[in-house]
Amino acid sequence: MVPDRYLFYGSVLPEPVSVNRKSLGDLRVSQTASKGFQFGESIAIFATPGKLPSGDPYICDQYLPETVTNLSMLVQQAHRYGCGKELEDALTHLQRQTADIPTVTQSIPILVILCARRPTHLIGSSSDLELIPYLLETPAPMFTDDHAAIPVHPVALRHAISPQLLRDVSGINTPDDRILVQLGCGSLGSKIALHMARAGLAPSVVADNRTMSPHNAARHALVPSKERFNILWMVPKAEALADAINGLGQSAEAVNVDVVSLSANKKRLWKVIPKKAWAVVNATASLAVRDTLGTLSTAIMPARVIETSLFAGGSVGLMTIEGPNRNPNTSDLVLEAYEMIRSDESTNHRLQAGGMKITHCKCGSG
């Protein structure tokens, strides 16, 4: 019997599991936590549509009302979707495998997902399969002959966060598996990295040699939890940002290092900025880091540098992208940007109000 106030949340893993007496017996093991919540592992049954006698795929071109309340009605609904036999075969197999398991009163939640093949792709999807999920609970042995006595409940099915889902929502139609390195995980770097991650294009490496501090909360993209002892303020910025990226279904390697020190050892440099990386985003606001990147040859660091900076309390933003083969390089571009800012009265006035003064200079090389 399902309580009146009942909450079920589960995550369907992509790996198939073996269904036998041992694995099904292990499903009865659960952990009870505070406030009455129980945690454990179970199984999900995918019932996919079969084929017509002609060999053509079974297509369900009618939408059916949601009236399923027990297992008997669920099997009938599955037949209408063309996957009834597949569901009955799965139920029969589970019943046989649990026939000799001692009877227990504790019910096992099982997710059943019926797949209905539609005449056309679903809106916002590249598939013609509609997934229709249900939750049922059965004690061991599973699934007695009285299917009408086993209650079934419709449940909401949500996609897991993945790069493809985030790219679809962001309107990015082509995958991008190129390696992007993020230098600087502070107020600007954290926002750039997380916006990239929300678009399914997270950086592969995030690097910073500093730890979080309470004043970072004023501008940092990461939000501390409301705790008396907040561990966030003891974590390196790179690790905290990498954890947030992992929460968006992607992975980023956190590196706690001073980038300037890497210029003396190319092998250490390549561990942070792989030679296969296509770009390096510099959000450190460090002149030393910018100069270091500008002096590295393309043989040592082929990746193009994307320089990002904020000035005058965030009212002026600057982004430069090196050209092919890093020509012009980041130093050339920043110098040109400064000259443009100096000659633009409005922008120059903003920077001077923010404490930054740019004057004319001449540079040469030989």
Side-chain angles (χ1 to χ4, degrees), residues 49 57-61 63 115-123 125-131:
Y58 189 100
I59 297 176
C60 181
D61 58 1
Y63 280 88
C115 302
R117 180 176 286 110
R118 299 304 188 181
T120 185
H121 287 178
L122 304 179
I123 296 175
S125 171
S126 59
S127 173
D128 56 2
L129 289 178
E130 181 181 4
L131 305 183

Side-chain angles (χ1 to χ4, degrees), residues 264-276:
N265 189 322
K266 62 181 181 181
K267 290 185 177 180
R268 289 185 62 217
L269 175 70
W270 291 338
K271 289 183 179 181
V272 180
I273 307 175
K275 295 194 72 175
K276 293 183 179 180

Side-chain angles (χ1 to χ4, degrees), residues 24-84:
L24 293 174
D26 293 341
L27 299 180
R28 294 183 289 133
V29 179
S30 62
Q31 298 176 348
T32 302
S34 60
K35 299 182 180 180
F37 284 98
Q38 291 183 326
F39 300 87
E41 295 184 355
S42 185
I43 58 175
I45 301 174
F46 281 86
T48 56
K51 295 183 178 181
L52 297 170
S54 62
D56 295 329
Y58 189 100
I59 297 176
C60 181
D61 58 1
Q62 293 183 343
Y63 280 88
L64 306 175
E66 189 51 75
T67 58
V68 173
T69 59
N70 58 57
L71 184 55
S72 178
M73 299 176 69
L74 178 62
V75 172
Q76 295 175 17
Q77 192 83 318
H79 278 286
R80 299 186 185 101
Y81 289 135
C83 55

Side-chain angles (χ1 to χ4, degrees), residues 114-268:
L114 304 183
C115 302
R117 180 176 286 110
R118 299 304 188 181
T120 185
H121 287 178
L122 304 179
I123 296 175
S125 171
S126 59
S127 173
D128 56 2
L129 289 178
E130 181 181 4
L131 305 183
I132 308 161
Y134 298 90
L135 174 68
L136 60 89
E137 289 191 296
T138 175
M142 293 183 180
F143 310 121
T144 62
D145 293 334
D146 187 7
H147 286 179
I150 300 177
V152 172
H153 310 275
V155 295
L157 186 65
R158 297 184 177 181
H159 291 285
I161 297 178
S162 67
Q164 187 60 54
L165 174 66
L166 298 176
R167 289 171 187 170
D168 290 343
V169 175
S170 301
I172 300 174
N173 298 321
T174 56
D176 192 341
D177 298 325
R178 295 179 295 177
I179 298 175
L180 177 69
V181 177
Q182 171 85 42
L183 304 181
C185 304
S187 58
L188 177 58
S190 63
K191 294 181 178 69
I192 293 174
L194 287 185
H195 277 299
M196 293 290 290
R198 290 188 176 102
L201 303 171
S204 303
V205 179
V206 290
D208 200 303
N209 66 334
R210 297 180 179 272
T211 59
M212 297 290 290
S213 297
H215 73 269
N216 294 135
R219 296 178 297 179
H220 207 276
L222 300 183
V223 179
S225 59
K226 188 178 180 180
E227 297 178 2
R228 294 182 63 183
F229 181 74
N230 199 316
I231 197 67
L232 178 65
W233 308 127
M234 300 175 62
V235 175
K237 288 182 178 180
E239 293 182 12
L241 185 58
D243 285 341
I245 292 173
N246 291 341
L248 291 170
Q250 296 153 91
S251 62
E253 181 183 356
V255 182
N256 306 316
V257 67
D258 178 9
V259 178
V260 176
S261 67
L262 299 177
S263 61
N265 189 322
K266 62 181 181 181
K267 290 185 177 180
R268 289 185 62 217

